[in-house]
Structure formats: structure tokens, C-alpha cells
Amino acid sequence: MLLTSAALDAVTDSTLFNHQTNTYVASYNLSIGLPISQNGLQAKEELTTLLKKKYYIEFLNTKDIAGKKIELEFANVQINTEAIAAYATLLMKNPALSQSHVMLYDIGGLTNDVTVITNNQVNNVYSNSYKEGMTIVLDSIKQKLVSKYNYRLN
């Protein structure tokens, strides 16, 4: 999905088209969010190495863009916790928050992640990931409905 989205974006920008090679040439800055539990240094380095290269994409049978070629690279790859996107949104709305205490709570499918940020720095001591996401809660509710009321949700 990542490469497809970037390639689709590239073909909409005529300034990226190289007439000599008949290819769209695009370079992106990429920020990826990982759950806190998967955000170790080794994971960051491996993912950065994997993504920071050139990709060659050609749309074969896609309506309106069939035959278009894209040379795509992620020039700058940043691996962050998922909460950083929420934090960036908060800072755009209120830049003064960068010098305060902020807590971000990400309710996911399988985990709930708590990120504590103090003076623009993630506090790794108090940030954590808990394996109790919405999927687990919903499964528990379904089980109780069956056991208590003999009712099944589809």
C-alpha cells in the first residue's frame, strides 16, 4: 500500500515527469509509526535499511494511468512511535505544547499504547504498550453474550 500510494501521488504531479526517461521521478520523506512495543533501535535500523532504496513501479492495467512508470525513493526515513503523528497534529494546533507534559493514548485493535512526552521528548520509562486492544475487549463481550444470554453477534 505504501508504494502504491506514493506512486499514485507521483503520477499526479507533472513536474516530476522526466521526458528523457519517460518516467516520473519522485523522492519522499517518510515517517512511519510503530507500536511502542516494536519501537526498539534494531527494528528501526532494519526497517530504515529496508525502505531507504529506489523502487521502480509501472502501472500495467490501471485505468487512466496504464503504462506510466515511476522511479521512487524514500530519501529520509524516520521511524517513530505511532503516537508521534498525534503529537505532531497537536503541535500544529498549539506549538506551546512542546514545552509541556503530554500523554497520548492510542487504542488499537490488539494493544493500547501510552506515550508520555515531556518537553518535546518521549519518556521511555513511563511509555508502554498494553496487550488489551479493542479486538480483545470485543471478543470478551461476545463471549459473555453467548454464555449469559445465548446470543451470538455476526
Side-chain angles (χ1 to χ4, degrees):
M1 298 297 291
L2 175 68
L3 294 175
T4 302
S5 295
L8 286 167
D9 179 64
V11 299
T12 64
D13 187 345
S14 61
T15 64
L16 298 177
F17 189 70
N18 181 325
H19 292 280
Q20 292 177 336
T21 62
N22 202 30
T23 303
Y24 291 83
V25 179
S27 179
Y28 287 85
N29 294 304
L30 177 63
S31 176
I32 293 190
L34 292 177
I36 292 171
S37 60
Q38 298 174 14
N39 204 29
L41 184 59
Q42 183 176 355
K44 287 181 176 183
E45 290 173 350
E46 288 174 3
L47 193 52
T48 300
T49 300
L50 180 68
L51 291 167
K52 203 171 181 178
K53 61 181 181 179
K54 286 191 179 180
Y55 300 89
Y56 299 93
I57 300 157
E58 181 177 357
F59 289 104
L60 300 176
N61 297 314
T62 307
K63 184 180 178 185
D64 299 327
I65 57 174
K68 298 207 181 213
K69 298 176 184 176
I70 301 95
E71 179 183 309
L72 177 71
E73 75 172 326
F74 297 111
N76 181 23
V77 177
Q78 298 236 340
I79 311 295
N80 302 296
T81 61
E82 289 172 321
I84 295 301
Y87 184 60
T89 302
L90 284 173
L91 287 181
M92 287 190 301
K93 293 178 180 179
N94 186 353
L97 288 176
S98 68
Q99 299 305 312
S100 66
H101 298 276
V102 176
M103 179 177 285
L104 303 167
Y105 192 71
D106 176 20
I107 302 171
L110 298 176
T111 63
N112 288 331
D113 299 328
V114 178
T115 304
V116 178
I117 300 173
T118 304
N119 295 325
N120 220 26
Q121 297 292 318
V122 174
N123 182 327
N124 291 316
V125 174
Y126 300 114
S127 299
N128 208 341
S129 184
Y130 302 95
K131 294 182 190 249
E132 293 186 16
M134 287 307 297
T135 302
I136 296 165
V137 171
L138 292 174
D139 285 346
S140 174
I141 291 170
K142 285 180 181 180
Q143 289 172 3
K144 285 184 183 181
L145 284 172
V146 170
S147 66
K148 190 168 184 176
Y149 301 105
N150 198 25
Y151 181 79
R152 292 187 191 281
L153 291 174
N154 292 327

